[in-house]
Amino acid sequence: MQPRFLILGAGITGAALAHRLARNGASVTLVEAGLPASGASGRSFGWVNASFFLSEAHFHLRHAAMAAHRDLAAELKRPWQPEGCIWYQEQGEGFDHTAATLQSMGYPLRLLDRAAITALEPRLADPPDRALFFPGEAARDPAALTEELLAAASAQGAHLLCGLRVTGLTQGDDRITGIRTDAGDIPADHTVLCTGNGTPALLAPLGLSFPMLPRPGALMVTRPLPPLLHHILATPDQEVRQDAEGRLIAPASAHHQADAAETIAAPQALEDATLMRLRHLFPNAFIRPDRLLLADRPVPGDGLPAIGPVLPGLSMAVMHSGATLAPLVADVMALELTGQGSQPPLAPFRPARFFGP
């Protein structure tokens, strides 16, 4: 008899894991308190990259995840055509250090001069003297990908329960046996927490303290525009991309993946400042805001992902950025959960580092 897996949280990570487990023939139930991708996954810049990393192991995990996105697109019969990223968030010694470090780790990149930048992005005002081009980096809409993964998981027999509030985990025989909800208990052989910032409250009754960093974020989406931008753009002041509908999508903080701010400005101030930066980049465009999306990004206490076993019958996958990591984490975690042994790529990111011996 196949083990029964219960996944909490229908963001991109939970959806990817449900899809992979169901495709492998497992019995899967996915529980979501709201709607799929209603948290950080639905408010993400969607930048799939490894140029941002916190350690060498983190780089390699993210780099492998870029290939996992390509493989997942082929599996879902979707095109995969990375637009690439033009990066000049640092200049001077910081630029040189980034280029040398990424080259030493085998990351594909190309050095661009001002003429090359202008050729790639002719509508960009005041291009810098140099930039790095990362050809393998891509943008995905995590909310749309979540829906695709859920549909694929459902076709493989997975069950999705939305609007169901989990009030706790159930225990018995020295292991986690499922969840307690407003509608009653749901048993499982193994429960996986893909619950982002909701994870500490679920672990606390078990005597486990799981630290999360307060990392509020905001994302501006503009009204559709004619084509302005062909690549992901990472400048010292602003990251931005343009989607297939012509909308500019821009985090309201520079270097948003590394942003350590614990509070953010008032929404109107964020919108005004982001709009000003976009108009500086593209002064000839009539840029109008459409909406500002606020979210608390799920960032474990040391900034690195927390993936793997917690207790018998209980695992977790909590990370920033799920937009990059979710397909790879789902693939590798599914191997572990179905008895294929401990997977080396996840070894540096075990939750046990937070819980002590």
Side-chain angles (χ1 to χ4, degrees), residues 61-307:
L61 189 75
R62 293 177 67 93
H63 198 190
M66 294 168 66
H69 269 278
R70 178 201 62 211
D71 295 342
L72 178 61
E75 183 180 326
L76 296 174
K77 296 181 172 54
R78 295 290 185 267
W80 182 249
Q81 297 174 324
E83 51 269 79
C85 172
I86 298 174
W87 181 96
Y88 53 100
Q89 288 184 326
E90 303 284 348
Q91 288 296 320
E93 291 182 1
F95 183 99
D96 295 335
H97 176 75
T98 296
T101 300
L102 290 172
Q103 283 179 316
S104 72
M105 293 191 292
Y107 197 57
L109 60 83
R110 191 165 82 242
L111 181 64
L112 305 177
D113 61 16
R114 182 188 289 263
I117 298 166
T118 299
L120 289 173
E121 294 295 349
R123 295 173 180 82
L124 175 64
D126 194 24
D129 290 334
R130 59 179 183 165
L132 295 176
F133 182 60
F134 304 131
E137 297 189 350
R140 290 300 303 265
D141 180 346
L145 182 54
T146 296
E147 293 290 352
E148 287 187 51
L149 290 165
L150 292 176
S154 177
Q156 297 291 335
H159 299 283
L160 173 62
L161 302 175
C162 287
L164 189 60
R165 190 173 70 93
V166 176
T167 58
L169 302 170
T170 58
Q171 295 177 269
D173 298 326
D174 297 322
R175 64 181 294 110
I176 301 302
T177 58
I179 60 173
R180 184 170 297 111
T181 79
D182 289 336
D185 293 354
I186 301 177
D189 297 301
H190 203 101
T191 300
V192 185
L193 305 181
C194 300
T195 40
N197 287 304
T199 306
L202 291 169
L203 293 178
L206 306 177
L208 299 174
S209 177
F210 180 62
M212 298 285 288
L213 299 174
R215 292 293 183 265
L219 189 74
M220 174 186 277
V221 180
T222 73
R223 297 183 188 182
L225 291 153
L228 286 178
L229 186 60
H230 305 294
H231 306 83
I232 302 161
L233 190 64
T235 84
D237 301 315
Q238 183 67 62
E239 296 157 342
V240 60
R241 64 182 181 89
Q242 190 169 24
D243 69 10
E245 285 71 43
R247 301 172 299 188
L248 294 180
I249 300 175
S253 62
H255 304 254
H256 85 281
Q257 292 184 104
D259 180 28
E262 297 188 359
T263 60
I264 59 174
Q268 189 60 55
L270 286 171
E271 184 173 285
D272 292 345
T274 306
L275 188 60
M276 181 177 67
R277 294 192 297 269
L278 292 176
R279 288 173 173 167
H280 177 75
L281 291 171
F282 304 103
N284 296 321
F286 182 41
I287 303 174
R288 296 174 294 166
D290 180 56
R291 58 190 181 273
L292 187 73
L293 305 173
L294 304 178
D296 288 317
R297 294 168 290 164
V299 184
D302 58 4
L304 294 168
I307 309 164

Side-chain angles (χ1 to χ4, degrees), residues 316-334:
M316 66 187 292
V318 177
M319 69 204 76
H320 177 70
S321 153
T324 292
L325 294 174
L328 178 70
V329 168
D331 289 347
V332 180
M333 202 172 187

